[in-house]
Amino acid sequence: LVGVPALEEMLAWPAAKISDEELPTEAPRTIDAGCDDLLLPIIRRLAEQKKKDSSPDVTAGVAAAAATKDGPKILVIDDTEMLLIFVADILASADQSFQIITASSAVQGIHLATELEPDLILLDYSLVDMTGDKVCQVLLDNELTARIPVLMMSGHLTELARTAEAYANVVAALPKPFLSGALINEVEKALAGGRLPKAPA
């Protein structure tokens, strides 16, 4: 491939990284368009394609979890893949009946929360598409999700404390990094408290 098709192919590589350098004036050019005008549409198309490709996997994973387990549903929203794996593994080891659902973005998490109405949401504050306080507000504004308790997780301690104080659906705050025992304790306490008694103002 040459030119724009070659660039599109390279941007689709899982480990692709982009940087820019000044090239010698005599270097051959296969693309004449400016960087900004060229990259943004390609990245948007790739993001849409990735979203389409991942949707069936998410649905299948949720359906499989629901079919095989009957314990509390716990939705974990975090855009760090390693943390999602870490938290899911800890919770599965603590109680094999837990139905653990994961979301790697705020939008995906809000959609799953509305569709599945989990018993507890573990929410990272700093997400790639929305901050945790805004996610809490969206959950409060929807009567289907307003009574779901939220356990906020973050390494941003100031924002973590402020969000926990300002939003009535946040029942606990867990600073990152945290030990597995601390996570299990907070999850068990939040689940024991059940749903919020009424939709918070």
Side-chain angles (χ1 to χ4, degrees), residues 90-104:
I90 289 171
L91 296 178
S93 300
D95 190 329
Q96 294 185 1
S97 73
F98 284 159
Q99 300 178 60
I100 303 163
I101 305 115
T102 60
S104 57

Side-chain angles (χ1 to χ4, degrees), residues 24-179:
T25 54
E26 67 274 10
R29 294 179 180 272
T30 58
I31 300 175
D32 294 324
C35 185
D36 294 340
D37 296 332
L38 183 68
L39 285 180
L40 195 55
I42 294 175
I43 291 171
R44 281 178 178 158
R45 284 200 302 274
L46 291 172
E48 284 297 317
Q49 186 60 48
K50 184 177 180 182
K51 186 177 178 182
K52 289 178 184 176
D53 293 344
S54 65
S55 294
D57 295 337
V58 170
T59 305
V62 170
T68 58
K69 300 184 180 184
D70 58 0
K73 279 187 279 193
I74 302 173
L75 172 60
V76 187
I77 307 173
D78 198 298
D79 57 6
T80 304
E81 183 180 0
M82 287 304 297
L83 191 127
L84 285 177
I85 294 170
F86 173 69
V87 170
D89 186 56
I90 289 171
L91 296 178
S93 300
D95 190 329
Q96 294 185 1
S97 73
F98 284 159
Q99 300 178 60
I100 303 163
I101 305 115
T102 60
S104 57
S105 70
V107 170
Q108 187 184 55
I110 292 167
H111 171 74
L112 289 173
T114 305
E115 182 180 338
L116 301 174
E117 297 183 45
D119 300 286
L120 176 65
I121 296 174
L122 274 60
L123 174 63
D124 181 33
Y125 179 84
S126 182
L127 296 165
V128 67
D129 54 344
M130 195 183 298
T131 55
D133 55 347
K134 292 178 181 173
V135 175
C136 288
Q137 188 61 60
V138 172
L139 295 172
L140 285 171
D141 289 341
N142 184 343
E143 62 181 28
L144 293 175
T145 57
R147 295 181 58 225
I148 301 173
V150 175
L151 170 56
M152 183 69 71
M153 310 177 294
S154 180
H156 302 279
L157 301 185
T158 302
E159 290 84 353
L160 182 67
R162 180 177 52 79
T163 304
E165 184 177 348
Y167 293 86
N169 52 349
V170 179
V171 296
L174 190 61
K176 291 181 181 179
F178 48 79
L179 298 175

Side-chain angles (χ1 to χ4, degrees), residues 2-15:
V2 177
V4 175
L7 180 62
E8 289 182 348
E9 173 70 20
M10 289 186 286
L11 289 175
W13 293 348

